[in-house]
Every structure is written in structure tokens, then in C-alpha cells.
Amino acid sequence: MVDIPGPTLDDDTAAHLRRRGIRSVCLFRKNVESEAQLRRLCADLRAVMGEHALIALDHEGGAILRPLFWPFAPSAMNQGAAGDEALTEEVNAALARQLRSVGINWNFAPVLDVNVNPANPVIGERAYGADVGVVTRMGGAALAGHDRAGVAACVKHFPGHGDTSLDSHLALPRVDKPRVALDAGEFAPFRALLPRTPAMMTAHIIYPALDPDRPATLSRAVLTGLLREEWGYDGVIVTDSMGMKAIDDHYGRGEAGVMALQAGTDLVMALGRREAQDATLDAIQAALDRGTLDAGQMQASVRRLEALAARYPAQADPALNARDDAALLADAWARGLSAYRSPVAPTPGSRVLLVAQARVPRENVSEASVDAQTLAAELRGVYDVQLHAFEDPAELDWASLRAQGLPVILATTSRHRHAALRGARPDLHLALYNPYAALDVDAPALVTYGFQPEARRAVLTWLRGERRATGTLPFSG
């Protein structure tokens, strides 16, 4: 699987796909401009790659949504907080309908990581929660929604990325737990949902209880010994991006691709510059020529991938209108709103001081968050807002802010928790992205699990007293 440079399939890239026999592409923000453009791109890709084309996207909900022109689905943790399996199934069917409307047939979702580590820098609200049962129930509902709407789901990040303090985009994490703890925790949702799982994405994480040396993506003990042989899984196994530093900084790109196939993956995600793609493809071909890759195993992988594409064809359905699900998704966001330490909204119409980060840019897996000016403009529908926009939370002078004599509303809108906000004391905290930021700020909080417009509109209804926060927090409140 490769990525492509831009929003159109140029002649050189098309020739590369044909010459190399590539039949799977992962799309990113750089490939998405409009609905019509995306539909044309998918049609062009299918024309080049053939009837067994697999066109994929990370379309999880929350901050992990590349197209910005469809109604935004809530994050997994928002759905977990709402606690309604039927609602989660409908939300995921809506996500799948969005993709199928343009011809994308593979969604790299749902996330089955159990986010037991509040300091996790990359999963957080992408997980359904910190409880194995919640993750399993909601993950099963998400799989059902995708299947019903005709798009292949792909659970991730096997065997579990929920208890890491490092981001595998940037480093090589380890999960040092005994096998019995892994079976009861990280492994449990993946194993329970195997019969309903068409595809699974690996984690670039070392689990010493299974393999002390190699990350799961490159470990035959994990992918063949545990997943294929012990658990009996016969669906598709795809690596996470091999361009992430957990792999790229520790193994040669070509060598790692061969190691992943030897471990038991069916598809190597060789993303990045053309040179990196060619290095992977050349190394795999050389390994096949030398016989260091088992031909029978490779043929079985091809059969699995072709079966996935046949079951979920990459054909656009122009009869689907993504905007038909707007009310469903807006209601789903609102049903996940959660209260921490009994927050009370200032009286509508009163003057308040809003403290918010001026701008939060796009950051690896996530899209750009809401900026302070937009947030202030929206809150002016409820309050007379004075805005204090900051660049760095370490610059905030809380004594000076409180000395202004206004109710202080702090909005946190960043993926990461900030040490500078520990002990901050606004009157109300709006946790509009990382829910665990509520644990740092010494104030009651309304937690949304995401910053998208639908989430912010739900906040306004709570501030006006029109809706209660009925969601269940993934941590004690």
C-alpha cells in the first residue's frame, strides 16, 4: 500500500502504480479538496488498480477526519461516553456511507485500544474508553455499522496502543506487562471481536511478554504465533505506516517491509516519498527471488486482500448524500457531553473572560483544532465575551486574569496536555479536545472529546441550559 502526492492521479503516479502492480492506496488530507474531486480521484485509482482496488482512509471521527466538507462524526471516546451501542452503530454506518459515496472502500477504524494511560500522547479520545467492556461493545457496534453500510473496517492498533507514554509516530514504545495482564486488558477487545473483524492494523510497539526484541508489526511471535495460530484469525493484517519513526529510525525501510511479511502481515503500508516506496518494493521482490519470503504465504495474503476488495468494492454510490446524516451526528456529539466536578455555566447574557489558545495547528494524525477567535465568536451567542488569546499556556498570568473580576472560562483545544495548566483555576473549563486535560485544571469541566463544530454547538446548548451533560467520563470525576 502506498500514498500518492496530491488531489489528482497524475500520469507519472499512475504509471508507477501500473508498473509496480500496486492495488492499494491510502489517502490523506493532501489528497482531499472536494467531494466531486475525491470521487474522481477514486474512480481514476480504481481504473488503474483494477477491480481488486483497496482505497483507504483514516476516517475515525473526532479529529481524525480528512474531508472537511462532510458533517463531522464524534470521536470514539465521545461515543463511549454516550454508552449507546445502537447509536455507535449508526454513527459508524454514517462514516462508512460518507466514504462509499465517493468510492473509498476501506476505513482504518475503529480503534480498539483501551486507553488506560491518561498521559497517552497519541490515542486519548480516539479510543472508546479505559474500560475493556466499553471498548469491546462499542467496537463491535462500529464494526456492524461499517459492514451494514458496505465499507471494510480495520481495527487498530493490534495488540494495543492504549497504555503507552510514547507516540509511535515519533519513537518506539514498549508495553511491559505480563501475558495474563495483556490477555485481560489490551488483547481482550481484539480477541472478542475477531469473528466480526475483516482487517486488523498492527502496532509499532514492543511487547516483551510476547517478543522481547521486535515490535508487533515485525514479530512472527505476535502476528503468526498469537494472532494466526493461537487465535485462528484469517482476516487481513495490514501494517501501520512504515514511515513512522518507530520503524523508520530503527530498521531499514526495505528490510522492515520484508520482516513484516515474514512476521505474517498481508499488506505493507509503504508510505512516503517514491524512493521509500521503491526501496520497500525492491526489497520484497529480492526476498521473493531469494526464497526468503514464503511464496505460499504470499499467495494466501493476495487471496485475503482480493476477498476483502470483492466483499467491499471500491465503487462510488452517488445516491448517498452525506448531509442526510447531519442531524444524527450532531445529536451523537451532544449525547456524549460529560460533566467533571459538577460544572455550572455562567448566567447567559453575562460578561465573561474566555481564555483560549490563539491557534492549534494540524499535528501528525489529527487535523487543526478550533482557534480562539472562532470560539469567542460562537460564545458571543450566549455571553458578552472578552477574549484573552494565548500562544503558550506557560505565558498565562492567572492572578492577573482573575483580577479582572469576570467569570473565567478556559477552553483547552490541544491534542496534548500542558504541564503549564496544572493547577490553573478558571471558573469553568471547557475541555474541547483531550479529555484528560480536565485532570490538570483545578476547576469543574464540561468535556466534549472533540473540537468539531457539532461539538461546539452542543456546548452552546449546555451553556444556555437547554441540555444536560449525561455522558460517562473515562476517568473518575
Side-chain angles (χ1 to χ4, degrees):
M1 171 173 277
V2 301
D3 59 336
I4 61 174
T8 60
L9 183 59
D10 62 274
D11 292 343
D12 179 63
T13 301
H16 171 63
L17 297 177
R18 289 192 186 96
R19 182 174 63 253
R20 288 295 199 167
I22 295 167
R23 291 192 287 176
S24 53
V25 164
C26 184
L27 301 179
F28 291 90
R29 185 76 193 91
K30 64 184 177 180
N31 307 120
V32 178
E33 288 182 342
S34 70
E35 199 165 17
Q37 166 269 325
L38 190 53
R39 188 176 289 113
R40 284 194 303 272
L41 175 60
C42 291
D44 291 343
L45 284 168
R46 190 176 191 277
V48 168
M49 295 193 295
E51 62 178 341
H52 293 122
L54 289 166
I55 304 172
L57 193 71
D58 288 296
H59 201 56
E60 299 173 16
I64 318 298
L65 293 167
R66 309 307 176 209
L68 304 181
F69 41 78
W70 289 327
F72 294 97
S75 65
M77 195 167 281
N78 178 286
Q79 296 170 57
D84 185 333
E85 291 172 58
L87 178 64
T88 294
E89 180 174 339
E90 290 302 326
V91 166
N92 281 268
L95 280 167
R97 283 192 290 270
Q98 290 176 350
L99 298 183
R100 195 160 63 85
S101 71
V102 295
I104 296 170
N105 60 338
W106 201 4
N107 189 8
F108 289 149
V111 170
L112 293 189
D113 302 318
V114 183
N115 199 76
V116 295
N117 187 348
N120 194 317
V122 68
I123 302 301
E125 86 297 339
R126 299 171 67 193
Y128 288 104
D131 178 81
V132 168
V134 170
V135 173
T136 304
R137 290 193 301 275
M138 297 302 156
L143 287 168
H146 277 83
D147 185 66
R148 175 160 61 86
V151 170
C154 181
V155 303
K156 59 187 185 185
H157 306 83
F158 176 78
H161 208 319
D163 195 12
T164 61
S165 56
L166 297 175
D167 180 352
S168 54
H169 291 84
L170 307 174
L172 178 56
R174 296 170 63 93
V175 175
D176 287 297
K177 289 182 176 180
R179 174 66 191 270
V180 65
L182 292 169
D183 282 332
E186 278 84 347
F187 294 180
F190 292 100
R191 188 169 193 180
L193 296 174
L194 280 185
R196 291 184 267 174
T197 297
M200 187 174 297
M201 181 183 289
T202 65
H204 302 329
I205 299 172
I206 293 176
Y207 301 81
L210 298 174
D211 187 330
D213 301 316
R214 293 186 177 185
T217 297
L218 308 181
S219 172
R220 190 165 179 85
V222 174
L223 301 185
T224 297
L226 176 67
L227 186 54
R228 293 286 193 213
E229 296 174 353
E230 184 178 334
W231 290 3
Y233 182 62
D234 195 39
V236 167
I237 302 175
V238 57
T239 72
D240 206 340
S241 170
M242 302 297 272
M244 292 161 61
K245 290 182 180 294
I247 299 295
D248 216 13
D249 283 3
H250 296 83
Y251 307 89
R253 186 68 79 90
E255 177 189 2
V258 172
M259 291 169 67
L261 292 173
Q262 289 171 331
T265 61
D266 298 303
L267 187 64
V268 175
M269 199 182 292
L271 306 183
R273 62 194 185 280
R274 178 74 61 81
E275 293 81 3
Q277 296 178 16
D278 283 338
T280 302
L281 291 159
D282 289 343
I284 291 171
Q285 186 60 58
L288 285 167
D289 293 341
R290 290 193 307 268
T292 52
L293 281 175
D294 181 83
Q297 181 185 327
M298 297 304 99
Q299 289 164 2
S301 292
V302 170
R303 287 195 296 271
R304 291 188 191 100
L305 292 163
E306 289 183 345
L308 187 72
R311 181 176 173 186
Y312 304 100
Q315 294 176 323
D317 185 348
L320 294 173
N321 183 352
R323 287 143 199 86
D324 291 344
D325 290 314
L328 161 71
L329 299 179
D331 181 61
W333 274 106
R335 288 173 62 181
L337 288 178
S338 303
Y340 177 70
R341 292 170 55 179
S342 304
V344 176
T347 303
S350 62
R351 184 166 177 75
V352 301
L353 175 62
L354 172 65
V355 180
Q357 191 166 344
R359 180 176 175 272
V360 184
R362 187 183 189 283
E363 184 180 350
N364 74 50
V365 296
S366 64
E367 300 301 327
S369 185
V370 60
D371 63 89
Q373 290 288 351
T374 297
L375 200 53
E378 292 172 348
L379 261 62
R380 288 188 178 108
V382 183
Y383 301 115
D384 178 4
V385 176
Q386 178 178 322
L387 174 63
H388 181 93
F390 63 87
E391 298 291 342
D392 182 347
E395 301 168 355
L396 293 171
D397 181 344
W398 285 97
S400 175
L401 292 169
R402 294 196 63 83
Q404 297 184 43
L406 298 175
V408 179
I409 300 176
L410 169 67
T412 52
T413 55
S414 172
R415 164 167 290 286
H416 297 293
R417 296 166 66 178
H418 290 289
L421 292 176
R422 290 175 189 156
R425 298 188 65 186
D427 296 289
L428 174 65
H429 175 199
L430 302 179
L432 300 181
Y433 197 165
N434 190 324
Y436 300 97
L439 299 174
D440 300 324
V441 178
D442 187 13
L446 180 70
V447 181
T448 63
Y449 313 96
F451 56 79
Q452 301 290 11
E454 291 85 347
R456 306 196 307 267
R457 289 197 290 270
V459 168
L460 297 180
T461 64
W462 180 85
L463 292 170
R464 294 190 188 102
E466 299 166 359
R467 180 181 285 272
R468 295 168 50 239
T470 58
T472 301
L473 291 163
F475 49 83
S476 59

